């Protein structure tokens, strides 16, 4: 994938297209051991020539797999394992040309205080966190990236320029993860708008733990809300301040 598929279009000066879609089940939360619960998306987002997408809901799963297949580019199509059994309405009559493009992010919950960026399995968790934060009077804007390479930075930028704060969450480990790239890029693009440093809520930098420990490893509602508190300068697990 990295050495051949990603390079062929460039190597042939555009003469050879690579309309290949590779489905990749990923992520944890299903009680599987380390070889079946990894989140390897950063390996591929680092590789020029590949499109990388991650779906979070049934409608996108239905639409984006068709868009990926229709693309002339190689697409890594990441499917969150713990969302395989999620149910939702799916419009099978949707015109692919009228659907949200494959490389565009979606604002799935409007807000004004904090921008929360997620993808794949954690979009649902992020939306739950936004609902919980609303009970405390905090307005969280949730963005579903959908496309991990390329990242739809204009959507993220517009949100951060409005909220002044950024939290990114993903299941993969923190070091070298996609969250680091987004944090750096948004800091470069929106430095004068940021009220606080970007916050990353991720898996830990350890081999994926066995099933009895994985729920401590994966970002959950409480950890994401703690990240929101950090971005807002509220009492949190790192500050040691009392509420």
């Amino acid at each position: 994938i990295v050495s051949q598929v990603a390079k062929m279009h460039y190597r042939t000066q555009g003469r050879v297209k690579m309309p290949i879609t590779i489905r990749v089940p990923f992520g944890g939360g299903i009680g599987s051991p380390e070889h079946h619960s990894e989140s390897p998306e950063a390996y591929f987002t680092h590789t020029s020539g590949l499109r990388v997408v991650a779906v979070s809901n049934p409608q996108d799963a239905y639409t984006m797999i068709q868009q990926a297949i229709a693309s002339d580019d190689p697409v890594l199509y990441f499917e969150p394992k713990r969302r395989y059994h999620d149910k939702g309405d799916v419009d099978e009559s949707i015109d692919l040309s009228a659907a949200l493009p494959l490389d565009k992010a979606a604002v799935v919950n409007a807000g004004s205080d904090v921008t929360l960026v997620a993808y794949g399995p954690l979009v649902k968790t992020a939306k739950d966190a936004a609902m919980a934060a609303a009970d405390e009077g905090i307005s969280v804007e949730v963005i579903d990236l959908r496309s991990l390479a390329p990242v739809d930075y204009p959507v993220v930028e517009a949100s951060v320029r409005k909220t002044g704060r950024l939290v990114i969450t993903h299941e993969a480990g923190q070091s070298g993860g996609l969250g680091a790239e987004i944090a750096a890029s948004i800091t470069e693009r929106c430095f004068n708008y940021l009220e606080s440093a970007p916050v990353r809520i991720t898996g830990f930098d350890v081999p994926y733990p066995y099933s009895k420990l994985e729920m401590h490893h994966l970002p959950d509602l409480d950890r994401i809300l703690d990240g929101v508190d950090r971005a807002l300068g509220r009492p949190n697990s790192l500050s040691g301040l009392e509420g």
Side-chain angles (χ1 to χ4, degrees):
I1 295 171
V2 171
S3 298
Q4 299 297 329
V5 172
K7 311 288 194 299
M8 190 61 69
H9 186 75
Y10 178 81
R11 182 181 295 132
T12 61
Q13 296 183 322
R15 290 189 294 271
V16 176
K17 301 185 184 304
M18 298 296 288
I20 299 172
T21 297
I22 302 171
R23 295 176 58 187
V24 185
F26 83 121
I30 60 170
S32 295
E34 70 276 12
H35 297 301
H36 299 279
S37 298
E38 296 285 3
S39 298
E41 60 271 17
Y43 297 136
F44 300 104
T45 61
H46 186 70
T47 303
S48 298
L50 298 175
R51 288 182 180 270
V52 183
V53 301
V55 297
S56 67
N57 60 80
Q59 181 66 63
D60 274 356
Y62 177 80
T63 304
M64 291 172 67
I65 188 67
Q66 296 179 73
Q67 292 173 318
I69 292 170
S71 174
D72 284 332
D73 299 321
V75 179
L76 273 291
Y77 180 90
F78 279 84
E79 308 172 0
K81 293 177 183 176
R82 60 170 156 158
R83 301 302 176 213
Y84 273 147
H85 299 292
D86 283 4
K87 297 184 183 297
D89 293 332
V90 174
D91 182 2
E92 298 183 33
S93 65
I94 191 169
D95 183 352
L96 292 184
S97 63
L100 188 65
L102 189 65
D103 59 354
K104 296 299 180 183
V107 177
V108 295
N109 190 80
S112 57
D113 294 331
V114 181
T115 298
L116 175 56
V117 173
Y119 57 84
L122 287 183
V123 172
K124 183 175 181 178
T125 311
K127 291 169 68 176
D128 290 342
M131 291 180 60
D135 292 338
E136 298 186 23
I138 301 170
S139 179
V140 178
E141 181 148 292
V142 179
I143 295 176
D144 179 357
L145 278 186
R146 302 175 77 249
S147 176
L148 311 186
V151 172
D152 186 6
Y153 279 112
V155 168
V156 182
E157 284 182 50
S159 179
V160 171
R161 288 169 187 263
K162 176 177 62 174
T163 67
R165 296 172 176 85
L166 174 64
V167 177
I168 311 128
T169 186
H170 54 67
E171 290 190 6
Q174 185 176 95
S175 298
L178 188 60
E181 177 61 30
I182 294 171
S185 294
I186 291 299
T187 299
E188 290 175 346
R189 296 164 186 243
C190 302
F191 184 79
N192 291 330
Y193 293 86
L194 285 168
E195 301 290 341
S196 63
V199 175
R200 290 173 290 165
I201 305 298
T202 70
F204 299 108
D205 291 332
V206 298
Y208 199 92
Y210 64 98
S211 58
K212 289 184 179 180
L213 289 178
E214 71 175 344
M215 299 317 294
H216 299 285
H217 175 76
L218 297 172
D220 59 10
L221 185 144
D222 288 337
R223 286 181 60 197
I224 291 175
L225 287 176
D226 186 69
V228 170
D229 286 338
R230 286 165 57 190
L232 287 168
R234 288 160 52 94
N236 62 80
S237 62
L238 297 184
S239 68
L241 299 177
E242 296 181 0

